[in-house]
Amino acid sequence: MMDSISETRNLLNIGDLSRTAIEEVLELTEAFREVSARPIPKVPALRGRTVANCFFEDSTRTRLSFEMAAKRLSADVVNFTAKGSSLSKGESIRDTVRTLCAMGAQGIICRHHSPGVATRIAGWVDVPVINAGDGSHEHPTQALLDVATVVQARGPMDDLNVVIVGDIDHSRVARSNVTAFNTMGANVTLCAPPTLLPPGVSTWPAAIAHELDDVLDKADVVYMLRMQRERIEADPVLPSIREYLDRYGLTTARARRFGSDTLVMHPGPMNRGVEIASEVPDLANSLVEAQVANGVAVRMAVLYLTMAGMQ
Ligand code: NCD
């Protein structure tokens, strides 16, 4: 466990960060939020440095958010996407990232559908590596931006009740967020049907619930997850989407029941009408857009801490 991301210059798993390390990110995030609000939202912190944004799996907000963050720090960004690359000619990930480094990439941001790929890459290259999501394993910058968003809205997370709802089993966001929220002092409850909970979930630092209506009343934050259809293999895990929405969906009726200080979050992309009713993300207590905005500032902080002090 480290007290500053600058110690290893990698961000691979959120569990590697102590509360002190997360608080350092939050402090820098606030500074970079101020930069983002300027008419010209740019500082020279990484001028002359080149960051390779390597997305072996689809993404909208994470990829663009990292790109905007790097550009606001004046870094140059090259975007690698798996589609259309030499991966289809059989080139390995190792050769791909080493090729990028040989060209001069000084930092690697990596998303891949297999757990552990970012950590493997960190063993193959001498430059900082940031995990932008590895399969259903980890998504540390999402956890950091979610902590930053709650703290911005409500102050310190100590003793806040956070309910994470939905497809916990396939969600890297759930895994990273449980760890981060717990490190920041929140009480986390996971709410899902048993078929969407992973084996071993009882060892996670979180309570388990199977009925959303039982846990909503005490929730300060209701964090909805997308149904990860691309990771759900053979067995149907749900009898029907309609039944799922009835029991676990954030319907308008449920959202109306909670007070204006109950916050609604979702990492995106949303399946409106599946896990969340179409109008709920647009209600006043929804933080969905704040999460996206904070994503850029948090990633500026992470890029700064991993790359600014490099020789
Ligand atoms: C998440 C992801 O890709 O892990 N999205 C994101 O990065 N904001 C969640 C998801 O895909 O459901």
Side-chain angles (χ1 to χ4, degrees):
M1 175 130 12
M2 54 182 158
D3 284 335
S4 172
I5 292 178
S6 60
E7 281 174 29
T8 63
R9 302 199 174 284
N10 289 324
L11 177 58
L12 302 172
N13 303 302
I14 196 74
D16 299 338
L17 272 55
S18 68
R19 181 167 179 151
T20 307
I22 295 179
E23 280 165 351
E24 179 184 43
V25 173
L26 296 181
E27 238 172 75
L28 267 172
T29 296
E30 226 173 285
F32 287 133
R33 222 187 263 136
E34 184 271 317
V35 169
S36 298
R38 291 181 195 167
I40 299 174
K42 203 158 176 147
V43 287
L46 295 185
R47 189 168 56 201
R49 303 240 183 255
T50 301
V51 181
N53 219 1
C54 300
F55 279 70
F56 299 92
E57 186 196 90
D58 295 347
S59 169
T60 299
R61 76 215 81 229
T62 306
R63 185 169 64 80
L64 295 176
S65 178
F66 267 113
E67 183 170 353
M68 290 190 75
K71 287 181 170 168
R72 284 185 185 177
L73 295 171
S74 305
D76 294 316
V77 185
V78 291
N79 281 297
F80 171 90
T81 38
K83 284 192 194 96
S85 76
S86 288
L87 286 178
S88 63
K89 298 181 185 168
E91 187 164 36
S92 67
I93 297 173
R94 182 173 185 272
D95 286 338
T96 304
V97 291
R98 289 177 71 108
T99 297
L100 286 163
C101 290
M103 287 176 190
Q106 293 158 306
I108 303 270
I109 297 157
C110 166
R111 166 169 290 194
H112 196 280
H113 53 80
S114 296
V117 167
T119 302
R120 296 293 296 278
I121 291 175
W124 292 328
V125 300
D126 292 329
V127 302
V129 176
I130 300 171
N131 182 1
D134 58 334
S136 50
H137 179 230
E138 277 263 7
H139 195 349
T141 57
Q142 180 71 42
L144 291 170
L145 77 88
D146 287 329
V147 170
T149 304
V150 176
V151 169
Q152 182 186 28
R154 291 289 293 267
M157 287 192 78
D158 297 279
D159 301 321
L160 283 188
N161 292 318
V162 182
V163 180
I164 302 179
V165 188
D167 185 0
I168 313 285
D169 190 13
H170 303 94
S171 176
R172 54 192 171 212
V173 175
R175 282 174 182 76
S176 290
N177 281 19
V178 166
T179 305
F181 292 165
N182 185 63
T183 302
M184 298 311 287
N187 307 312
V188 183
T189 301
L190 303 172
C191 181
T195 48
L196 289 177
L197 287 169
V201 70
S202 58
T203 63
W204 295 18
I208 311 286
H210 298 301
E211 291 298 335
L212 184 53
D213 288 321
D214 292 349
V215 290
L216 276 187
D217 288 344
K218 280 205 286 184
D220 297 296
V221 177
V222 181
Y223 195 105
M224 304 305 296
L225 295 171
R226 183 175 66 86
M227 194 63 65
Q228 308 260 312
R229 293 174 208 253
E230 73 278 25
R231 295 188 218 288
I232 297 175
E233 285 155 10
D235 300 336
V237 289
L238 298 173
S240 78
I241 290 295
R242 198 194 153 83
E243 190 177 321
Y244 181 79
L245 187 63
D246 272 0
R247 284 185 64 188
Y248 297 100
L250 192 50
T251 58
T252 309
R254 285 196 174 105
R256 290 232 167 85
R257 255 180 40 207
F258 27 87
S260 56
D261 52 356
T262 306
L263 304 170
V264 175
M265 300 177 76
H266 192 301
M270 291 184 282
N271 288 146
R272 292 187 193 236
V274 179
E275 68 272 359
I276 192 161
S278 196
E279 56 274 29
V280 172
D282 308 321
L283 298 175
N285 52 345
S286 160
L287 294 180
V288 172
E289 281 190 15
Q291 288 173 270
V292 176
N294 279 317
V296 179
V298 160
R299 291 178 175 116
M300 288 171 81
V302 170
L303 285 167
Y304 181 83
L305 287 167
T306 49
M307 291 185 67
M310 281 166 64
Q311 299 302 319

